[in-house]
Amino acid sequence: MNFIFRSVYRLRPISFRRNMSFDYPKIRRDEKVADSYFGIGVSDPYRWLEDPDSEETKAFVDAQNNITRPYIDSCPYKESIKSRITTLWNYPKHSVPFKHGNKYYQYRNSGLQNQSVIYVQDNLQDKGEIFLDPNTLSDDGTIALSNTSFSEDGKTFAYGLSASGSDWREIKFKNVDTGEDYPETLKKVKYSSMSWMHDNKGFFYGGYLNQTGKADGSETTSSEHQKVYYHELGTDQSKDVEVVEFDDKEIRIGAQVSDCGTYLILTPIKGCKNYLLYFARIDPNETITKKLELTPVVTKFEADYEYITNVDSKFYFRTNKDAPNYRIICIDFNNYSESEWGTLIEEDPKNVLDDAHVINNTMLVVTYLKDVQNTMHIFDLTTGKKLHDFQLDIGSVFSISGKKHHTEMFYSFCSFLTPNTIYRVEFEGDSIKETVYHETKVGDLDASLYDTKQVFYKSKDGTDIPMFIINKKGFVLDGSRPCLLYGYGGFNVNLTPSFSVSRLIFVTNFDGIYALANIRGGGEYGDKWHNGGRFDKKQNCFDDFQSAAKYLVNEKYTSADKLSIQGGSNGGLLVAACINQAPELFGAAICQVGVLDMLRYHKFTIGYAWKTDYGCADEEDQFRYLYKYSPLHNIKIPEDDGQYPATLLLTADHDDRVVPLHSLKFIAELQHKIGSLPQQKNPVLIRIETKAGHGAGKPTTKIIDELTDIFCFISRALNLPFSA
């Protein structure tokens, strides 16, 4: 029997009082705080909440958690919900194997371990042994592995550690043969690539070594003037050499040693789109003692350039330069004038060239995005001719491993109903042999009990928007089922099919529907899709999402009072803007780590980098459209005595990506303007996590607790029974 339907009995629905009032904390408003933007006065009465260290802010956080916690904890299904999530989460999870030196490595999680463990194998038949277990680094799992890098000979392992979800990293080095760490630790590392010289001693990283004040993830100050440093293995960080810097304080610098080992490729970026391109010649036999001499190739922020590989001086890049769906170009670093650039793989007029990976010396593994689903092919690196098509189901290629000189590669594939499947591909002459290396089993999950489909609906301006819908087979369109609608819509991010236990729990145990809308602002259809949701076109994202809600109601998948919406980060902005603009469309809203003050976001931590998607209130034309939708500044009393949907904000004290002040100020304003209305019976609450950040590296226990609280909130707010 299926894991959900084994010994099924439906609990008798427990009726909650949805029409109830809340005694929200009394919050000080400082009406004297205001800014003037181009002649328009904008008040900011809760600016004091921007100081995370003040006693008043700490008291505010405690007061908010003290009303949220009882509401969530009183859900009668809480233990059943947590038990079901825990049970279904408890399945073995494996990454693709990756080979370095003469050994294979793989991330594994037995099921409920807080952090995945790296195992090492001498060959693929070995069971393997533990190489690095981050669970031993903290009692609560809040120290996580971030980016990692092996030296070219595979004998040294550089690994970054993040504490409490912060973007700050400390880099350590491990001797692969002995298992011992080298004595040095590199600190104040952030937004950094990691790349080794081919002498296996020199190491490049990016850092903010001159930053003063706190650097633990709880600060709100911006990190500026990143520099690239050269570190020699076995020496103290104080001896590291500053090798690359730029005058612009907002630039972050990608630095990658070429496959041949004689170039350092530099891709400076100022925002979240469009790179510069420089290179420096390096000699792996010489120690670097001073700044590198840079050669500029691209000096204007106009396009993306993603290094793939090089053959001697000919370098191959994935780019959207004159190609909104991306292409692969060749630049000869001995003759790098743009007029001399060549194209290896032309832009596809319909499908987005999503990724390229070199393998077997002369082969390019290229993935495309076709209507939000991956296809994968092999091309000849010399001629650009297609050599092979992989036969993929509807879903996503999640990761690919293998180096240029390897004659094998691994890739993982998943879909909404198919957990991670790992394939091994072997190359022998002209032969390409593909086998299943590992299939993930999730309890007794029976995927045949569910349906997944993709629909296209019309947005406000007539644009066709794709949306995936998951439901039980035999589902009847009568508008009676709850629905959870998810969206993001920004920063060229693609939301492709992926496996999630929590989605299936919502579909099965709440007898619901899950919908994922691929709205504009993402990269699902290349630059045109991204640009359709940037700058003054951001309203398209909100229109697309609201149109998704209307479609689901009109087609009788659900009803407005049973429709929950969810989004995080930029998706949190999406959710908050939509409940401001059309509160009547939704029954509940889950707004996670959202960007909610669009007039001041750029003043905190990495916020300045988002100006390439949002614009900036310091510019008059951009201020005017930001002010129109900024969630903090557009909370309005609904018409016709309506009310806001039940709303839960989530943030965390070490989120140094989207700092908590966004959520704190928004909930304060929301409770002041909306929570005090006599007709507002739906709760507007916030959950503030400790020792957690934006999401990356979050331990399993915290993930399960958060999912439990979200489902409990939805269950209580919408009076939804949970069947065990």
Side-chain angles (χ1 to χ4, degrees), residues 515-645:
L516 187 153
N518 297 108
I519 63 178
R520 282 172 285 186
E524 288 88 347
Y525 292 97
D527 278 354
K528 69 174 183 180
W529 208 247
H530 182 202
N531 292 336
R534 291 172 75 203
F535 300 127
D536 60 344
K537 301 292 193 300
K538 190 66 181 175
Q539 183 60 42
N540 285 337
C541 305
F542 313 140
D543 291 341
D544 292 354
F545 202 56
Q546 292 166 38
S547 296
K550 293 174 183 177
Y551 174 90
L552 291 165
V553 171
N554 292 339
E555 296 298 318
K556 298 190 181 303
Y557 284 95
T558 189
S559 57
D561 63 346
K562 291 188 177 181
L563 175 59
S564 300
I565 55 173
Q566 182 181 16
S569 194
N570 174 77
L573 161 62
L574 171 72
V575 167
C578 286
I579 63 173
N580 279 346
Q581 295 179 6
E584 72 282 357
L585 293 181
F586 318 109
I590 308 298
C591 175
Q592 296 171 268
V593 294
V595 186
L596 306 176
D597 183 347
M598 301 308 297
L599 303 188
R600 289 175 58 79
Y601 76 85
H602 59 289
K603 298 178 180 292
F604 309 106
T605 61
I606 192 59
Y608 58 76
W610 312 332
K611 291 186 287 187
T612 53
D613 241 60
Y614 298 142
C616 178
D618 293 341
E619 303 294 329
E620 182 173 1
D621 60 327
Q622 296 174 3
F623 159 75
R624 295 194 181 280
Y625 66 70
L626 287 167
Y627 191 40
K628 286 182 180 179
Y629 74 76
S630 176
L632 179 63
H633 304 95
N634 285 277
I635 299 170
K636 298 180 176 66
I637 298 174
E639 298 177 353
D640 301 322
D641 288 329
Q643 60 173 325
Y644 266 57

Side-chain angles (χ1 to χ4, degrees), residues 61-81:
V61 168
D62 290 341
Q64 293 294 335
N65 278 335
N66 286 341
I67 61 168
T68 301
R69 196 72 263 159
Y71 181 83
I72 290 173
D73 290 345
S74 63
C75 174
Y77 306 116
K78 183 179 180 184
E79 291 307 314
S80 296
I81 290 171

Side-chain angles (χ1 to χ4, degrees), residues 139-159:
D139 293 334
D140 56 4
T142 54
I143 294 180
L145 277 172
S146 55
N147 43 341
T148 63
S149 181
F150 279 88
S151 59
E152 189 68 13
D153 61 5
K155 292 185 177 181
T156 310
F157 177 63
Y159 61 100

Side-chain angles (χ1 to χ4, degrees), residues 18 350 653 716:
R18 293 184 64 183
K350 294 183 178 179
D653 63 348
R716 278 219 60 183

Side-chain angles (χ1 to χ4, degrees), residues 8 14 91 104 130 132 220 343 349 393 448 495 548 600 707:
V8 164
I14 297 175
Y91 66 92
Y104 291 92
I130 292 175
L132 179 59
T220 61
T343 299
D393 291 330
S448 68
L495 295 186
R600 289 175 58 79
L707 287 171

